[in-house]
């Protein structure tokens, strides 16, 4: 019998890296037991995880938000995400949008990301919840700017961003019709969609892209908040980065390895029997890759349990791998660097508040409920 990770165990939720890491050292494939779900096969090691994410026999299926009973009928066509499709359809969608999400495009956006981060810090001082005041609104503002949403609609986008960032629940469902209508209008704004006017995507597909960008585009919230928490609670880390900004790009990669928000990939389904690391995963099974385990695999990372802001090579799986590799990774990197740079420059003497920030017991996402700090 394979070892398992028991997601009903509060100890597992309190320290996912320890639990996933123990499983990794027992077997390259384990099972994950979660309430109300069939056991999920989980790849724990880096090499096997990377191979699994590029294996066409493990396929995404419609997940899907659009199939939820509380989603109004007229919204459904606009919620079909590229994450749920495979093969030629996926390749066509990805090819069409790729030019707008290159490293060059993200670099062109750097100044605007820095400005948005700076604007959010204006007026903040003293004891502050940086999650609510900074890390949460910034990714919504970035997506709004990218899509060309008028400034007057920004507060509404922030509200939607906060509602969808958890990925489920009544607030999520309630936000859907408004987002879909705004996405349909956004197709006519100046922004990334203008660049995609000749991409061959039709109006519904472009609106569906806006939906995905708003949804996927919230993830930097948790990377930024997690990174600030870790920098402020690891002795010397904040000062190291503050005193040498040239470390920022590498440090952001290391922080993504160390405290990146996605603990696991979306589940895939085995189209046939698939052997991973000597274990046969039967056809029809649900399969995930434990990003938490792979990113601390000692077979790939020297001293994996040490946060090393000067780590030279950091091939983490924080943005996954293969055909579904995060579309927004270059933008997420630029945005996180500029968020941290703005904070380190503007408030160089910031410290964690006396009330500590705890990880929430969320099996899929490493995230905080609040990030109380004293800005200085
Ligand atoms: C720190 C920030 C981010 C992290 C950690 C992250 C992580 C991920 C991961 C792990 C996947 C692949 C999931 C899988 O294969 O199971 C993914 C896919 C995706 N991400 Fe991100 N993401 C981030 C930011 C963003 C941003 C800013 C955007 C949009 C601008 C975005 C848009 C997407 C899209 C559209 C996909 C689906 C790609 C496809 O299926 O081909 N992400 N992301």
């Amino acid at each position: 019998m394979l070892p398992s990770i028991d997601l009903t165990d509060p100890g597992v939720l309190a320290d996912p890296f320890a639990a996933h890491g123990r499983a990794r050292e027992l077997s390259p494939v384990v099972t994950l037991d979660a309430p109300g779900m069939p056991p999920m096969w989980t790849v724990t090691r880096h090499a096997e995880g990377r191979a699994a994410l590029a294996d066409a026999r493990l396929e995404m299926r419609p997940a899907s938000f659009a199939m939820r009973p509380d989603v109004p009928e007229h919204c459904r066509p606009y919620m079909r995400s590229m994450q749920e499709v495979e093969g030629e359809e996926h390749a066509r969608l990805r090819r069409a949008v790729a030019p707008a999400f290159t490293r060059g495009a993200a670099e062109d956006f750097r100044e605007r990301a820095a400005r948005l981060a700076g604007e959010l810090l204006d007026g903040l001082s003293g004891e502050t919840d940086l999650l609510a005041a900074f890390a949460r609104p910034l990714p919504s503002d970035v997506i709004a700017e990218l899509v060309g949403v008028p400034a007057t609609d920004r507060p509404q986008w922030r509200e939607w961003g906060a509602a969808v960032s958890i990925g489920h629940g009544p607030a999520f469902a309630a936000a859907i019709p408004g987002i879909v209508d705004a996405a349909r209008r956004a197709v006519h704004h100046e922004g990334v969609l203008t660049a995609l006017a000749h991409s061959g995507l039709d109006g519904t597909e472009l609106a569906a892209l806006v939906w995905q960008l708003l949804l996927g585009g919230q993830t930097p919230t948790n990377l930024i908040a997690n990174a600030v928490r870790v920098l402020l609670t690891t002795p010397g880390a904040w000062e190291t980065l503050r005193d040498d900004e040239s470390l920022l790009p590498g440090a952001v990669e290391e922080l993504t390895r160390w405290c990146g928000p996605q603990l696991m990939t979306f589940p895939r389904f085995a189209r046939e029997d698939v052997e991973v690391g000597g274990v046969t995963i039967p056809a029809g099974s649900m399969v995930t890759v434990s990003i938490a385990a792979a990113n601390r695999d000692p077979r790939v990372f020297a001293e994996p349990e040490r946060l090393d802001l000067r780590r030279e090579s950091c091939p983490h799986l924080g943005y996954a791998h293969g055909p579904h590799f995060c579309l927004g990774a270059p933008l997420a990197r630029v945005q996180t660097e500029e968020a941290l740079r703005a904070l380190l420059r503007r408030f160089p003497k910031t410290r964690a508040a006396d009330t500590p920030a705890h990880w929430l017991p969320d099996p899929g996402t490493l995230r905080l409920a609040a990030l109380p700090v004293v800005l200085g």
Side-chain angles (χ1 to χ4, degrees):
M1 208 172 113
L2 289 176
S4 72
I5 301 174
D6 177 4
L7 290 184
T8 60
D9 178 348
V12 170
L13 298 179
D15 190 353
F17 297 103
H20 288 233
R22 275 193 303 274
R24 179 193 62 229
E25 295 314 309
L26 291 172
S27 173
V29 179
V30 303
T31 59
L32 194 79
D33 298 309
M37 285 207 340
M40 183 138 57
W41 300 71
T42 304
V43 185
T44 55
R45 293 186 189 159
H46 190 281
E48 288 82 353
R50 213 163 170 272
L53 291 171
D55 191 329
R57 295 170 301 168
L58 298 173
E59 60 184 12
M60 301 274 206
R61 298 229 178 117
S64 166
F65 295 123
M67 288 177 343
R68 294 165 51 123
D70 48 4
V71 169
E73 196 60 41
H74 80 276
C75 295
R76 294 177 194 270
Y78 301 95
M79 300 176 72
R80 187 170 163 81
S81 127
M82 76 174 71
Q83 227 160 341
E84 311 173 12
V85 294
E86 289 290 6
E88 197 31 54
E89 187 182 0
H90 177 259
R92 181 181 66 83
L93 290 174
R94 199 65 207 219
R95 254 196 322 270
V97 301
F101 293 93
T102 57
R103 266 160 66 179
E107 274 310 321
D108 290 346
F109 197 79
R110 186 180 287 278
E111 237 178 86
R112 287 200 276 168
R115 175 175 51 75
L116 292 171
E119 282 169 12
L120 283 167
L121 293 182
D122 286 345
L124 298 185
S125 63
E127 182 143 357
T128 306
D129 174 6
L130 267 191
L131 180 68
F134 183 61
R136 197 169 280 146
L138 181 61
S140 297
D141 287 3
V142 164
I143 296 300
E145 178 98 6
L146 194 73
V147 170
V149 169
T152 43
D153 292 352
R154 296 280 161 90
Q156 176 66 77
W157 277 66
R158 285 186 190 175
E159 268 180 44
W160 284 329
V164 300
S165 62
I166 310 297
H168 53 82
F172 182 93
I176 288 173
I179 297 173
V180 165
D181 286 345
R184 292 170 65 186
R185 285 197 305 277
V187 172
H188 307 291
H189 295 151
E190 296 281 318
V192 71
L193 299 171
T194 322
L196 295 175
H198 303 293
S199 61
L201 296 184
D202 64 27
T204 306
E205 287 170 330
L206 283 173
L209 176 66
V210 177
W211 156 258
Q212 273 170 67
L213 294 181
L214 184 64
L215 201 63
Q218 300 310 311
T219 321
T221 288
N222 291 323
L223 177 59
I224 294 166
N226 295 356
V228 171
R229 179 214 191 252
V230 163
L231 289 171
L232 291 177
T233 53
T234 306
W238 178 267
E239 293 75 14
T240 301
L241 215 46
R242 183 193 62 197
D243 297 344
D244 185 356
E245 272 189 14
S246 74
L247 295 176
L248 258 174
V252 166
E253 292 313 294
E254 173 69 345
L255 288 159
T256 310
R257 179 187 81 83
W258 184 257
C259 60
Q262 301 271 109
L263 296 171
M264 286 178 273
T265 68
F266 285 84
R268 271 80 171 157
F269 293 82
R271 233 170 34 199
E272 54 191 72
D273 286 1
V274 177
E275 198 199 302
V276 176
V279 177
T280 301
I281 300 178
S285 309
M286 255 210 289
V287 186
T288 182
V289 173
S290 166
I291 296 175
N295 279 353
R296 298 195 184 192
D297 187 341
R299 294 156 194 81
V300 173
F301 301 99
E303 291 192 79
E305 296 301 333
R306 190 164 76 86
L307 175 77
D308 178 1
L309 298 177
R310 294 193 163 84
R311 193 178 287 278
E312 283 188 356
S313 159
C314 191
H316 64 77
L317 295 183
Y319 298 108
H321 175 72
H324 291 279
F325 178 81
C326 177
L327 177 73
L331 182 67
R333 289 178 162 129
V334 161
Q335 182 179 169
T336 306
E337 280 169 41
E338 293 312 315
L340 294 180
R341 193 194 314 277
L343 260 175
L344 290 159
R345 282 190 186 170
R346 189 82 68 93
F347 299 110
K349 297 206 167 92
T350 297
R351 59 177 175 81
D354 297 337
T355 359
H358 289 297
W359 303 123
L360 284 168
D362 181 330
T365 311
L366 187 72
R367 60 191 179 93
L368 299 163
L371 177 56
V373 303
V374 182
L375 296 169

